[in-house]
């Protein structure tokens, strides 16, 4: 009732021209889809979504695994550091976006101030679309790093010590043991995180809305989800927004099915 009915209703709505403030709508068939595929801003928005998703997923997972392996060791103050890493995950995305606005401010932000001290001229984080996209991607990774870290830490603590000791006895170095022993045992966890972080990153709205509002220059950091919001609730084109949401749903469905099949094949091997 709360998932599939809205999904089907969204697909139905994508075939209509409907101003969200109007009580009536007009059936137009696939014109919303034709418009989306032929609009000049579509490649840019798709590219933003792919860049944001790929680097958000990769950054969260790689850093999360590195920190999990590091903080699984007996180090002084490790529990405090674990808490510090996880803390941003429980903060709202809007609060994170507002905080990092000051950090990345081109004039008095901490990042550009540090770069100036190193003799490097900092970029215009809010005026250059490429750097703005990097900025919001970093904000997402910083906020969600704790999630990947906690999941990986639990998996690392459950690894078989016997296999690690056997690899060490056989003369395997650290890198070989990590690649041949640790990573294969973490495969189910990696698959789980890949799915969940992918779905989470594609749906990010709050950070982008607070930090850049989809800009600069119109669509510099606009992703598909932000386009759905802008078309539906700013431009009042609910039918077109529903079409974009349907396209995003189909893409996510295909990607998820491919990931599941790949994982099943590797598990069978």
């Amino acid at each position: 009732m709360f998932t599939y009915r809205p999904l089907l209703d969204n697909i139905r709505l994508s075939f209509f021209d409907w101003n969200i403030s109007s009580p009536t709508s007009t059936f137009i068939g696939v014109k919303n889809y034709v418009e989306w595929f032929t609009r000049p801003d579509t490649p840019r928005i798709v590219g933003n979504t792919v860049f944001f998703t790929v680097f958000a997923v990769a950054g969260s997972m790689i850093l999360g695994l590195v920190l999990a392996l590091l903080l699984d060791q007996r180090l002084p103050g490790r529990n405090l550091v674990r808490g510090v890493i996880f803390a941003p995950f429980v903060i709202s995305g809007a609060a994170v976006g507002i905080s990092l606005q000051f950090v990345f401010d081109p004039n008095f932000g901490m990042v550009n101030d540090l770069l100036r001290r190193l003799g490097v001229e900092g970029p215009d984080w809010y005026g250059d679309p490429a750097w703005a996209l990097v900025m919001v991607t970093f904000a997402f990774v910083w906020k969600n790093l704790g999630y990947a870290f906690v999941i990986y830490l639990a998996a690392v603590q459950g690894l078989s010590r016997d296999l690690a000791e056997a690899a060490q006895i056989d003369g395997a170095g650290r890198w070989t043991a990590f690649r041949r022993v640790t990573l294969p045992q973490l495969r189910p966890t990696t698959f789980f995180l890949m799915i969940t972080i992918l779905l989470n990153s594609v749906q990010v709205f709050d950070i982008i809305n607070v930090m850049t509002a989809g800009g600069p220059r119109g669509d510099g950091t606009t992703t598909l989800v932000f386009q759905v919001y802008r078309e539906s609730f700013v431009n009042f084109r609910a039918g077109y927004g529903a079409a974009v949401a349907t396209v995003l749903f189909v893409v996510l469905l295909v990607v998820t099915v491919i990931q599941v099949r790949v994982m099943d094949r590797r598990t069978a091997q």
Side-chain angles (χ1 to χ4, degrees), residues 161-174:
R161 304 299 177 185
D162 294 338
L163 291 177
E165 291 175 359
Q168 187 176 10
I169 293 173
D170 290 341
R174 288 189 175 183

Side-chain angles (χ1 to χ4, degrees), residues 200-224:
N200 189 23
S201 64
V202 171
Q203 299 177 67
V204 167
F205 167 78
D206 45 9
I207 291 177
I208 295 175
N209 187 47
V210 168
M211 298 189 75
T212 63
R217 302 176 191 174
D219 55 7
T221 57
T222 298
T223 59
L224 288 172

Side-chain angles (χ1 to χ4, degrees), residues 223-233 237 241-242 244-245 248:
T223 59
L224 288 172
V225 165
F226 195 85
Q227 186 185 26
V228 172
Y229 158 77
R230 188 165 61 187
E231 294 293 342
S232 300
F233 301 105
R237 301 185 63 198
V244 179
L248 179 59

Side-chain angles (χ1 to χ4, degrees), residues 234-251:
V234 178
N235 298 334
F236 300 106
R237 301 185 63 198
Y240 185 77
V244 179
T246 303
V247 171
L248 179 59
F249 165 73
V250 171
V251 171

